[in-house]
Amino acid sequence: MAAERNQFLGLNEEEEVVAKNLAARALLTTVTYPLTCVKTLIQLGHEPFPLSTGKTLIVAGRNAYFLPNAFSYGTVFFSKSLRYLVNQAIAASQLAHARGLGVLYTGIDSAVCSLIIQGITSYQTKKYIDQYYPEIGGKPEKVDVEEKDLTDHESFRRQLRFAIRESVVRVATVTVARPLTVVMVRQIAQLIGHESKYGGVFSSVRTIGIEEGPGGLFSGLVPQICGEIVIVFGTAALIYAAERAIVHAGLYEKKDEKSVKEVEDLRKFTNLAIPFVMNSFGYPYQVVSTVMAVAGSGLAVSFLPYAPSFVNWHSAWDYLTPHGLKRGARLFLREQTGAVSVGADQQLYASNKFFA
């Protein structure tokens, strides 16, 4: 039956694994999408809720102002969106309620399409360069040799080759999927000004293409690529250092079962922890990429007082450098380090708006 199913789908065993992984990732993306929506709004500087006070280390440390955590942000944003729709009477109460429930899933169609395209592009690019350009990044020497049997130079060359080839794949992947990423960001961004310019995926792509041309569809691509390259090469460098440290510490020389297991566990931990750490170094580029995705969109968030007009992504980076490059980096303990203003209700709010 498996053979018949594969023949019916037209997939070989490797492609079936890729398809299953994509399906699992699409499901996970759908489940966690409200956090993605909230994170995007925060990256755009939308902080409409009052600050609270507390300690930087929960029960210790200095006093500080804190923004609501991501879950509270999403809950309050949903409630306010629902009230806005009802108060504006733009539809019957049932329709308003339905739209309110789905507000945190705004842009989910673009996100899932982007994920699928990224997965397919990544797989096909890897397959293509492995088949036709195996020497990109260096000759494929000792690719399958265990780390303990390599010299420092050989290990370095292998990690460098991997980083270069992975960078090629990442650049191709994010470039192909960028138009859909831009659409997703703009669909979410229009929630800030209660706008409805961008609807479905394909109509939004068409709108951007007509109004802004290819430049609009690929806005924010360069900082996204820079962030990916920083993560790839940083991860490769740290993994190389960790692997060689294990070798030089003589941990591989211990042959008892307990020691072997400890080394394997240590390697697994480093391979999981290092990419996580490096993501924090690439995160500022992600914020700049998100901000640039709405540049030229005509949405309220792309104009003053939300943000100035950016000439290029460097100007956006400079504008965000004081306090904005880490927007949304934390889900909890989101300390407000920038300006604070007093609202009409006499409560304190984060002041992310630009004043000329």
Side-chain angles (χ1 to χ4, degrees):
M1 291 183 65
E4 292 178 0
R5 176 166 53 83
N6 287 341
Q7 186 177 6
F8 173 75
L9 294 174
L11 301 175
N12 58 36
E13 185 176 350
E14 184 181 8
E15 291 170 340
E16 185 178 358
V17 171
V18 173
K20 288 181 178 179
N21 287 338
L22 271 178
R25 290 176 61 191
L27 178 61
L28 181 62
T29 296
T30 302
V31 172
T32 61
Y33 189 77
L35 287 178
T36 301
C37 180
V38 167
K39 187 176 183 179
T40 302
L41 290 169
I42 293 173
Q43 287 178 340
L44 291 170
H46 187 53
E47 298 286 0
F49 310 122
L51 302 172
S52 60
T53 57
K55 299 286 187 179
T56 53
L57 300 177
I58 303 179
V59 295
R62 57 183 172 78
N63 293 322
Y65 293 117
F66 288 94
L67 298 156
N69 66 60
F71 296 100
S72 297
Y73 186 109
T75 302
V76 178
F77 187 82
F78 159 73
S79 300
K80 286 201 170 187
S81 297
L82 180 59
R83 285 201 299 271
Y84 173 82
L85 292 171
V86 173
N87 292 337
Q88 292 296 314
I90 62 173
S93 60
Q94 289 183 345
L95 178 60
H97 187 267
R99 184 173 174 183
L101 288 173
V103 70
L104 294 179
Y105 278 92
T106 301
I108 182 65
D109 50 349
S110 302
V112 172
C113 289
S114 176
L115 174 68
I116 293 172
I117 288 178
Q118 286 184 50
I120 294 173
T121 303
S122 177
Y123 170 72
Q124 293 295 342
T125 304
K126 286 179 182 177
K127 185 177 179 181
Y128 183 81
I129 64 174
D130 285 345
Q131 183 175 355
Y132 296 103
Y133 298 97
E135 294 191 1
I136 288 180
K139 294 182 179 180
E141 298 174 347
K142 299 186 177 182
V143 176
D144 299 322
V145 178
E146 291 189 17
E147 186 69 32
K148 62 182 179 180
D149 298 324
L150 296 174
T151 65
D152 290 348
H153 179 67
E154 290 170 340
S155 178
F156 176 80
R157 288 186 60 184
R158 185 165 73 174
Q159 285 292 344
L160 179 61
R161 179 179 183 272
F162 167 80
I164 293 173
R165 296 176 72 82
E166 182 65 17
S167 294
V168 172
V169 173
R170 296 266 189 113
V171 169
T173 299
V174 299
T175 301
V176 171
R178 185 62 193 177
L180 295 178
T181 303
V182 170
V183 170
M184 183 199 75
V185 173
R186 293 189 180 190
Q187 286 174 321
I188 295 172
Q190 65 187 2
L191 294 173
I192 297 174
H194 303 289
E195 297 157 290
S196 57
K197 180 177 181 179
Y198 300 103
V201 180
F202 300 108
S203 62
S204 297
V205 170
R206 182 174 180 273
T207 298
I208 297 172
I210 292 174
E211 293 184 354
E212 303 169 55
L217 292 171
F218 292 94
S219 56
L221 174 62
V222 175
Q224 185 180 9
I225 289 176
C226 290
E228 294 290 342
I229 292 175
V230 166
I231 293 171
V232 169
F233 278 90
T235 299
L238 291 181
I239 287 179
Y240 166 76
E243 292 282 11
R244 299 320 294 172
I246 293 173
V247 172
H248 290 297
L251 298 182
Y252 282 111
E253 296 176 4
K254 300 177 181 179
K255 302 299 183 181
D256 59 284
E257 185 177 345
K258 181 180 178 181
S259 297
V260 171
K261 187 178 184 303
E262 287 178 351
V263 171
E264 288 302 315
D265 290 342
L266 179 59
R267 292 186 67 196
K268 288 179 182 178
F269 173 76
T270 56
N271 286 327
L272 287 174
I274 288 174
F276 179 79
V277 172
M278 283 309 305
N279 279 336
S280 64
F281 290 92
Y283 188 80
Y285 295 94
Q286 183 182 341
V287 175
V288 174
S289 177
T290 299
V291 171
M292 288 302 297
V294 299
S297 64
L299 297 175
V301 73
S302 66
F303 295 113
L304 293 173
Y306 291 101
S309 297
F310 299 117
V311 178
N312 50 46
W313 73 272
H314 296 285
S315 60
W317 180 283
D318 293 338
Y319 171 73
L320 294 169
T321 293
H323 303 286
L325 290 177
K326 290 294 184 179
R327 289 176 179 174
R330 290 183 176 183
L331 294 180
F332 301 96
L333 294 178
R334 299 175 54 231
E335 182 183 355
Q336 170 62 13
T337 57
V340 173
S341 61
V342 180
D345 56 359
Q346 301 304 308
Q347 295 192 74
L348 296 178
Y349 292 83
S351 181
N352 290 331
K353 293 184 178 180
F354 179 88
F355 295 94

PDB file of all heavy atoms in Angstrom, residues 5-35:
ATOM      1  N   ARG A   5       0.730   4.256  -2.611  1.00  0.00           N
ATOM      2  CA  ARG A   5       0.499   5.629  -2.169  1.00  0.00           C
ATOM      3  C   ARG A   5       1.581   6.557  -2.692  1.00  0.00           C
ATOM      4  O   ARG A   5       1.308   7.647  -3.168  1.00  0.00           O
ATOM      5  CB  ARG A   5       0.459   5.668  -0.636  1.00  0.00           C
ATOM      6  CG  ARG A   5       0.320   7.063  -0.064  1.00  0.00           C
ATOM      7  CD  ARG A   5      -0.050   7.000   1.404  1.00  0.00           C
ATOM      8  NE  ARG A   5       0.874   6.152   2.131  1.00  0.00           N
ATOM      9  CZ  ARG A   5       2.045   6.559   2.591  1.00  0.00           C
ATOM     10  NH1 ARG A   5       2.445   7.796   2.366  1.00  0.00           N
ATOM     11  NH2 ARG A   5       2.833   5.738   3.260  1.00  0.00           N
ATOM     12  N   ASN A   6       2.840   6.112  -2.626  1.00  0.00           N
ATOM     13  CA  ASN A   6       3.938   6.933  -3.125  1.00  0.00           C
ATOM     14  C   ASN A   6       3.819   7.150  -4.627  1.00  0.00           C
ATOM     15  O   ASN A   6       4.084   8.226  -5.131  1.00  0.00           O
ATOM     16  CB  ASN A   6       5.280   6.276  -2.800  1.00  0.00           C
ATOM     17  CG  ASN A   6       5.618   6.372  -1.321  1.00  0.00           C
ATOM     18  OD1 ASN A   6       5.054   7.211  -0.624  1.00  0.00           O
ATOM     19  ND2 ASN A   6       6.502   5.515  -0.848  1.00  0.00           N
ATOM     20  N   GLN A   7       3.412   6.093  -5.323  1.00  0.00           N
ATOM     21  CA  GLN A   7       3.259   6.215  -6.764  1.00  0.00           C
ATOM     22  C   GLN A   7       2.124   7.176  -7.100  1.00  0.00           C
ATOM     23  O   GLN A   7       2.210   7.970  -8.029  1.00  0.00           O
ATOM     24  CB  GLN A   7       2.986   4.831  -7.372  1.00  0.00           C
ATOM     25  CG  GLN A   7       2.958   4.835  -8.895  1.00  0.00           C
ATOM     26  CD  GLN A   7       2.751   3.441  -9.461  1.00  0.00           C
ATOM     27  OE1 GLN A   7       2.523   2.483  -8.717  1.00  0.00           O
ATOM     28  NE2 GLN A   7       2.835   3.317 -10.766  1.00  0.00           N
ATOM     29  N   PHE A   8       1.072   7.118  -6.305  1.00  0.00           N
ATOM     30  CA  PHE A   8      -0.058   8.012  -6.537  1.00  0.00           C
ATOM     31  C   PHE A   8       0.339   9.466  -6.299  1.00  0.00           C
ATOM     32  O   PHE A   8      -0.009  10.360  -7.057  1.00  0.00           O
ATOM     33  CB  PHE A   8      -1.221   7.616  -5.614  1.00  0.00           C
ATOM     34  CG  PHE A   8      -2.374   8.585  -5.648  1.00  0.00           C
ATOM     35  CD1 PHE A   8      -3.241   8.611  -6.722  1.00  0.00           C
ATOM     36  CD2 PHE A   8      -2.575   9.483  -4.610  1.00  0.00           C
ATOM     37  CE1 PHE A   8      -4.296   9.505  -6.768  1.00  0.00           C
ATOM     38  CE2 PHE A   8      -3.623  10.383  -4.646  1.00  0.00           C
ATOM     39  CZ  PHE A   8      -4.488  10.387  -5.725  1.00  0.00           C
ATOM     40  N   LEU A   9       1.102   9.699  -5.245  1.00  0.00           N
ATOM     41  CA  LEU A   9       1.525  11.059  -4.930  1.00  0.00           C
ATOM     42  C   LEU A   9       2.673  11.527  -5.815  1.00  0.00           C
ATOM     43  O   LEU A   9       2.957  12.724  -5.887  1.00  0.00           O
ATOM     44  CB  LEU A   9       1.951  11.154  -3.456  1.00  0.00           C
ATOM     45  CG  LEU A   9       0.838  10.950  -2.425  1.00  0.00           C
ATOM     46  CD1 LEU A   9       1.424  10.917  -1.027  1.00  0.00           C
ATOM     47  CD2 LEU A   9      -0.208  12.050  -2.540  1.00  0.00           C
ATOM     48  N   GLY A  10       3.342  10.592  -6.444  1.00  0.00           N
ATOM     49  CA  GLY A  10       4.474  10.954  -7.286  1.00  0.00           C
ATOM     50  C   GLY A  10       5.698  11.358  -6.494  1.00  0.00           C
ATOM     51  O   GLY A  10       6.549  12.102  -6.990  1.00  0.00           O
ATOM     52  N   LEU A  11       5.805  10.886  -5.250  1.00  0.00           N
ATOM     53  CA  LEU A  11       6.920  11.263  -4.385  1.00  0.00           C
ATOM     54  C   LEU A  11       7.786  10.050  -4.093  1.00  0.00           C
ATOM     55  O   LEU A  11       7.277   8.954  -3.843  1.00  0.00           O
ATOM     56  CB  LEU A  11       6.404  11.829  -3.057  1.00  0.00           C
ATOM     57  CG  LEU A  11       5.503  13.065  -3.113  1.00  0.00           C
ATOM     58  CD1 LEU A  11       5.005  13.401  -1.724  1.00  0.00           C
ATOM     59  CD2 LEU A  11       6.241  14.243  -3.720  1.00  0.00           C
ATOM     60  N   ASN A  12       9.097  10.275  -4.110  1.00  0.00           N
ATOM     61  CA  ASN A  12       9.979   9.212  -3.643  1.00  0.00           C
ATOM     62  C   ASN A  12      10.085   9.307  -2.123  1.00  0.00           C
ATOM     63  O   ASN A  12       9.476  10.176  -1.492  1.00  0.00           O
ATOM     64  CB  ASN A  12      11.358   9.304  -4.309  1.00  0.00           C
ATOM     65  CG  ASN A  12      12.037  10.650  -4.061  1.00  0.00           C
ATOM     66  OD1 ASN A  12      11.909  11.235  -2.979  1.00  0.00           O
ATOM     67  ND2 ASN A  12      12.754  11.145  -5.057  1.00  0.00           N
ATOM     68  N   GLU A  13      10.857   8.424  -1.533  1.00  0.00           N
ATOM     69  CA  GLU A  13      10.928   8.358  -0.071  1.00  0.00           C
ATOM     70  C   GLU A  13      11.455   9.655   0.533  1.00  0.00           C
ATOM     71  O   GLU A  13      10.933  10.151   1.535  1.00  0.00           O
ATOM     72  CB  GLU A  13      11.830   7.187   0.342  1.00  0.00           C
ATOM     73  CG  GLU A  13      11.868   6.953   1.841  1.00  0.00           C
ATOM     74  CD  GLU A  13      12.685   5.732   2.215  1.00  0.00           C
ATOM     75  OE1 GLU A  13      13.062   4.963   1.299  1.00  0.00           O
ATOM     76  OE2 GLU A  13      12.948   5.549   3.413  1.00  0.00           O
ATOM     77  N   GLU A  14      12.485  10.228  -0.087  1.00  0.00           N
ATOM     78  CA  GLU A  14      13.070  11.467   0.426  1.00  0.00           C
ATOM     79  C   GLU A  14      12.086  12.627   0.327  1.00  0.00           C
ATOM     80  O   GLU A  14      11.938  13.421   1.267  1.00  0.00           O
ATOM     81  CB  GLU A  14      14.343  11.793  -0.361  1.00  0.00           C
ATOM     82  CG  GLU A  14      15.082  13.021   0.153  1.00  0.00           C
ATOM     83  CD  GLU A  14      16.324  13.326  -0.665  1.00  0.00           C
ATOM     84  OE1 GLU A  14      16.523  12.674  -1.715  1.00  0.00           O
ATOM     85  OE2 GLU A  14      17.093  14.213  -0.258  1.00  0.00           O
ATOM     86  N   GLU A  15      11.402  12.714  -0.797  1.00  0.00           N
ATOM     87  CA  GLU A  15      10.431  13.793  -0.987  1.00  0.00           C
ATOM     88  C   GLU A  15       9.245  13.649  -0.043  1.00  0.00           C
ATOM     89  O   GLU A  15       8.673  14.644   0.410  1.00  0.00           O
ATOM     90  CB  GLU A  15       9.953  13.800  -2.439  1.00  0.00           C
ATOM     91  CG  GLU A  15      11.024  14.225  -3.429  1.00  0.00           C
ATOM     92  CD  GLU A  15      10.607  14.001  -4.875  1.00  0.00           C
ATOM     93  OE1 GLU A  15       9.681  13.192  -5.109  1.00  0.00           O
ATOM     94  OE2 GLU A  15      11.212  14.626  -5.759  1.00  0.00           O
ATOM     95  N   GLU A  16       8.894  12.405   0.264  1.00  0.00           N
ATOM     96  CA  GLU A  16       7.790  12.182   1.200  1.00  0.00           C
ATOM     97  C   GLU A  16       8.154  12.684   2.597  1.00  0.00           C
ATOM     98  O   GLU A  16       7.321  13.270   3.294  1.00  0.00           O
ATOM     99  CB  GLU A  16       7.439  10.696   1.255  1.00  0.00           C
ATOM    100  CG  GLU A  16       6.217  10.403   2.119  1.00  0.00           C
ATOM    101  CD  GLU A  16       5.848   8.935   2.118  1.00  0.00           C
ATOM    102  OE1 GLU A  16       6.523   8.148   1.423  1.00  0.00           O
ATOM    103  OE2 GLU A  16       4.888   8.581   2.824  1.00  0.00           O
ATOM    104  N   VAL A  17       9.404  12.462   2.995  1.00  0.00           N
ATOM    105  CA  VAL A  17       9.866  12.964   4.293  1.00  0.00           C
ATOM    106  C   VAL A  17       9.791  14.485   4.329  1.00  0.00           C
ATOM    107  O   VAL A  17       9.339  15.083   5.316  1.00  0.00           O
ATOM    108  CB  VAL A  17      11.309  12.487   4.576  1.00  0.00           C
ATOM    109  CG1 VAL A  17      11.867  13.187   5.814  1.00  0.00           C
ATOM    110  CG2 VAL A  17      11.344  10.982   4.757  1.00  0.00           C
ATOM    111  N   VAL A  18      10.228  15.120   3.240  1.00  0.00           N
ATOM    112  CA  VAL A  18      10.173  16.580   3.154  1.00  0.00           C
ATOM    113  C   VAL A  18       8.729  17.067   3.247  1.00  0.00           C
ATOM    114  O   VAL A  18       8.426  18.037   3.954  1.00  0.00           O
ATOM    115  CB  VAL A  18      10.814  17.070   1.840  1.00  0.00           C
ATOM    116  CG1 VAL A  18      10.600  18.573   1.663  1.00  0.00           C
ATOM    117  CG2 VAL A  18      12.303  16.752   1.820  1.00  0.00           C
ATOM    118  N   ALA A  19       7.827  16.391   2.541  1.00  0.00           N
ATOM    119  CA  ALA A  19       6.417  16.780   2.550  1.00  0.00           C
ATOM    120  C   ALA A  19       5.814  16.649   3.948  1.00  0.00           C
ATOM    121  O   ALA A  19       5.064  17.523   4.401  1.00  0.00           O
ATOM    122  CB  ALA A  19       5.634  15.924   1.559  1.00  0.00           C
ATOM    123  N   LYS A  20       6.157  15.574   4.642  1.00  0.00           N
ATOM    124  CA  LYS A  20       5.641  15.380   6.003  1.00  0.00           C
ATOM    125  C   LYS A  20       6.186  16.439   6.953  1.00  0.00           C
ATOM    126  O   LYS A  20       5.459  16.948   7.817  1.00  0.00           O
ATOM    127  CB  LYS A  20       6.001  13.982   6.501  1.00  0.00           C
ATOM    128  CG  LYS A  20       5.207  12.861   5.830  1.00  0.00           C
ATOM    129  CD  LYS A  20       5.604  11.506   6.381  1.00  0.00           C
ATOM    130  CE  LYS A  20       4.767  10.389   5.746  1.00  0.00           C
ATOM    131  NZ  LYS A  20       5.161   9.049   6.250  1.00  0.00           N
ATOM    132  N   ASN A  21       7.464  16.766   6.794  1.00  0.00           N
ATOM    133  CA  ASN A  21       8.053  17.815   7.632  1.00  0.00           C
ATOM    134  C   ASN A  21       7.386  19.162   7.380  1.00  0.00           C
ATOM    135  O   ASN A  21       7.129  19.934   8.315  1.00  0.00           O
ATOM    136  CB  ASN A  21       9.553  17.921   7.367  1.00  0.00           C
ATOM    137  CG  ASN A  21      10.335  16.760   7.950  1.00  0.00           C
ATOM    138  OD1 ASN A  21       9.863  16.097   8.871  1.00  0.00           O
ATOM    139  ND2 ASN A  21      11.518  16.496   7.417  1.00  0.00           N
ATOM    140  N   LEU A  22       7.103  19.438   6.108  1.00  0.00           N
ATOM    141  CA  LEU A  22       6.421  20.688   5.767  1.00  0.00           C
ATOM    142  C   LEU A  22       5.020  20.732   6.374  1.00  0.00           C
ATOM    143  O   LEU A  22       4.585  21.767   6.885  1.00  0.00           O
ATOM    144  CB  LEU A  22       6.333  20.839   4.248  1.00  0.00           C
ATOM    145  CG  LEU A  22       7.501  21.541   3.557  1.00  0.00           C
ATOM    146  CD1 LEU A  22       7.268  21.569   2.051  1.00  0.00           C
ATOM    147  CD2 LEU A  22       7.677  22.949   4.086  1.00  0.00           C
ATOM    148  N   ALA A  23       4.328  19.604   6.311  1.00  0.00           N
ATOM    149  CA  ALA A  23       2.978  19.545   6.880  1.00  0.00           C
ATOM    150  C   ALA A  23       3.020  19.774   8.388  1.00  0.00           C
ATOM    151  O   ALA A  23       2.186  20.507   8.945  1.00  0.00           O
ATOM    152  CB  ALA A  23       2.338  18.195   6.562  1.00  0.00           C
ATOM    153  N   ALA A  24       4.004  19.164   9.045  1.00  0.00           N
ATOM    154  CA  ALA A  24       4.136  19.337  10.497  1.00  0.00           C
ATOM    155  C   ALA A  24       4.471  20.786  10.843  1.00  0.00           C
ATOM    156  O   ALA A  24       3.922  21.360  11.794  1.00  0.00           O
ATOM    157  CB  ALA A  24       5.213  18.397  11.032  1.00  0.00           C
ATOM    158  N   ARG A  25       5.364  21.391  10.062  1.00  0.00           N
ATOM    159  CA  ARG A  25       5.736  22.785  10.316  1.00  0.00           C
ATOM    160  C   ARG A  25       4.569  23.729  10.045  1.00  0.00           C
ATOM    161  O   ARG A  25       4.388  24.730  10.752  1.00  0.00           O
ATOM    162  CB  ARG A  25       6.936  23.162   9.453  1.00  0.00           C
ATOM    163  CG  ARG A  25       8.242  22.496   9.877  1.00  0.00           C
ATOM    164  CD  ARG A  25       9.363  22.833   8.919  1.00  0.00           C
ATOM    165  NE  ARG A  25       9.606  24.270   8.875  1.00  0.00           N
ATOM    166  CZ  ARG A  25      10.382  24.854   7.967  1.00  0.00           C
ATOM    167  NH1 ARG A  25      10.963  24.132   7.021  1.00  0.00           N
ATOM    168  NH2 ARG A  25      10.569  26.161   7.996  1.00  0.00           N
ATOM    169  N   ALA A  26       3.780  23.409   9.021  1.00  0.00           N
ATOM    170  CA  ALA A  26       2.606  24.239   8.719  1.00  0.00           C
ATOM    171  C   ALA A  26       1.602  24.178   9.862  1.00  0.00           C
ATOM    172  O   ALA A  26       1.001  25.197  10.237  1.00  0.00           O
ATOM    173  CB  ALA A  26       1.960  23.778   7.415  1.00  0.00           C
ATOM    174  N   LEU A  27       1.431  22.990  10.427  1.00  0.00           N
ATOM    175  CA  LEU A  27       0.524  22.837  11.564  1.00  0.00           C
ATOM    176  C   LEU A  27       1.036  23.614  12.770  1.00  0.00           C
ATOM    177  O   LEU A  27       0.273  24.322  13.445  1.00  0.00           O
ATOM    178  CB  LEU A  27       0.379  21.351  11.911  1.00  0.00           C
ATOM    179  CG  LEU A  27      -0.506  21.025  13.122  1.00  0.00           C
ATOM    180  CD1 LEU A  27      -1.935  21.516  12.887  1.00  0.00           C
ATOM    181  CD2 LEU A  27      -0.500  19.524  13.400  1.00  0.00           C
ATOM    182  N   LEU A  28       2.334  23.499  13.040  1.00  0.00           N
ATOM    183  CA  LEU A  28       2.928  24.225  14.162  1.00  0.00           C
ATOM    184  C   LEU A  28       2.824  25.734  13.953  1.00  0.00           C
ATOM    185  O   LEU A  28       2.527  26.486  14.894  1.00  0.00           O
ATOM    186  CB  LEU A  28       4.395  23.815  14.324  1.00  0.00           C
ATOM    187  CG  LEU A  28       5.167  24.480  15.473  1.00  0.00           C
ATOM    188  CD1 LEU A  28       4.530  24.122  16.812  1.00  0.00           C
ATOM    189  CD2 LEU A  28       6.634  24.063  15.446  1.00  0.00           C
ATOM    190  N   THR A  29       3.056  26.178  12.721  1.00  0.00           N
ATOM    191  CA  THR A  29       2.937  27.602  12.407  1.00  0.00           C
ATOM    192  C   THR A  29       1.524  28.103  12.664  1.00  0.00           C
ATOM    193  O   THR A  29       1.323  29.198  13.205  1.00  0.00           O
ATOM    194  CB  THR A  29       3.313  27.852  10.933  1.00  0.00           C
ATOM    195  OG1 THR A  29       4.687  27.513  10.736  1.00  0.00           O
ATOM    196  CG2 THR A  29       3.096  29.313  10.551  1.00  0.00           C
ATOM    197  N   THR A  30       0.539  27.294  12.300  1.00  0.00           N
ATOM    198  CA  THR A  30      -0.857  27.674  12.509  1.00  0.00           C
ATOM    199  C   THR A  30      -1.180  27.797  13.993  1.00  0.00           C
ATOM    200  O   THR A  30      -1.839  28.750  14.424  1.00  0.00           O
ATOM    201  CB  THR A  30      -1.788  26.638  11.858  1.00  0.00           C
ATOM    202  OG1 THR A  30      -1.487  26.541  10.459  1.00  0.00           O
ATOM    203  CG2 THR A  30      -3.244  27.036  12.031  1.00  0.00           C
ATOM    204  N   VAL A  31      -0.695  26.845  14.772  1.00  0.00           N
ATOM    205  CA  VAL A  31      -0.975  26.848  16.210  1.00  0.00           C
ATOM    206  C   VAL A  31      -0.327  28.044  16.900  1.00  0.00           C
ATOM    207  O   VAL A  31      -0.926  28.679  17.776  1.00  0.00           O
ATOM    208  CB  VAL A  31      -0.489  25.528  16.852  1.00  0.00           C
ATOM    209  CG1 VAL A  31      -0.596  25.596  18.371  1.00  0.00           C
ATOM    210  CG2 VAL A  31      -1.295  24.351  16.318  1.00  0.00           C
ATOM    211  N   THR A  32       0.896  28.363  16.508  1.00  0.00           N
ATOM    212  CA  THR A  32       1.645  29.430  17.183  1.00  0.00           C
ATOM    213  C   THR A  32       1.513  30.781  16.485  1.00  0.00           C
ATOM    214  O   THR A  32       2.154  31.748  16.905  1.00  0.00           O
ATOM    215  CB  THR A  32       3.138  29.058  17.258  1.00  0.00           C
ATOM    216  OG1 THR A  32       3.665  28.895  15.924  1.00  0.00           O
ATOM    217  CG2 THR A  32       3.338  27.766  18.034  1.00  0.00           C
ATOM    218  N   TYR A  33       0.683  30.861  15.455  1.00  0.00           N
ATOM    219  CA  TYR A  33       0.628  32.093  14.668  1.00  0.00           C
ATOM    220  C   TYR A  33       0.215  33.331  15.464  1.00  0.00           C
ATOM    221  O   TYR A  33       0.722  34.427  15.183  1.00  0.00           O
ATOM    222  CB  TYR A  33      -0.296  31.934  13.460  1.00  0.00           C
ATOM    223  CG  TYR A  33      -0.196  33.110  12.529  1.00  0.00           C
ATOM    224  CD1 TYR A  33       0.885  33.252  11.674  1.00  0.00           C
ATOM    225  CD2 TYR A  33      -1.159  34.119  12.540  1.00  0.00           C
ATOM    226  CE1 TYR A  33       1.007  34.351  10.843  1.00  0.00           C
ATOM    227  CE2 TYR A  33      -1.048  35.219  11.717  1.00  0.00           C
ATOM    228  CZ  TYR A  33       0.037  35.333  10.869  1.00  0.00           C
ATOM    229  OH  TYR A  33       0.161  36.427  10.058  1.00  0.00           O
ATOM    230  N   PRO A  34      -0.696  33.231  16.435  1.00  0.00           N
ATOM    231  CA  PRO A  34      -1.004  34.440  17.218  1.00  0.00           C
ATOM    232  C   PRO A  34       0.236  35.101  17.819  1.00  0.00           C
ATOM    233  O   PRO A  34       0.322  36.332  17.870  1.00  0.00           O
ATOM    234  CB  PRO A  34      -1.942  33.907  18.306  1.00  0.00           C
ATOM    235  CG  PRO A  34      -2.646  32.770  17.644  1.00  0.00           C
ATOM    236  CD  PRO A  34      -1.590  32.112  16.787  1.00  0.00           C
ATOM    237  N   LEU A  35       1.211  34.297  18.247  1.00  0.00           N
ATOM    238  CA  LEU A  35       2.450  34.873  18.771  1.00  0.00           C
ATOM    239  C   LEU A  35       3.240  35.562  17.661  1.00  0.00           C
ATOM    240  O   LEU A  35       3.875  36.596  17.890  1.00  0.00           O
ATOM    241  CB  LEU A  35       3.309  33.784  19.425  1.00  0.00           C
ATOM    242  CG  LEU A  35       2.828  33.257  20.777  1.00  0.00           C
ATOM    243  CD1 LEU A  35       3.751  32.152  21.268  1.00  0.00           C
ATOM    244  CD2 LEU A  35       2.759  34.381  21.800  1.00  0.00           C
TER     245      LEU A  35
END
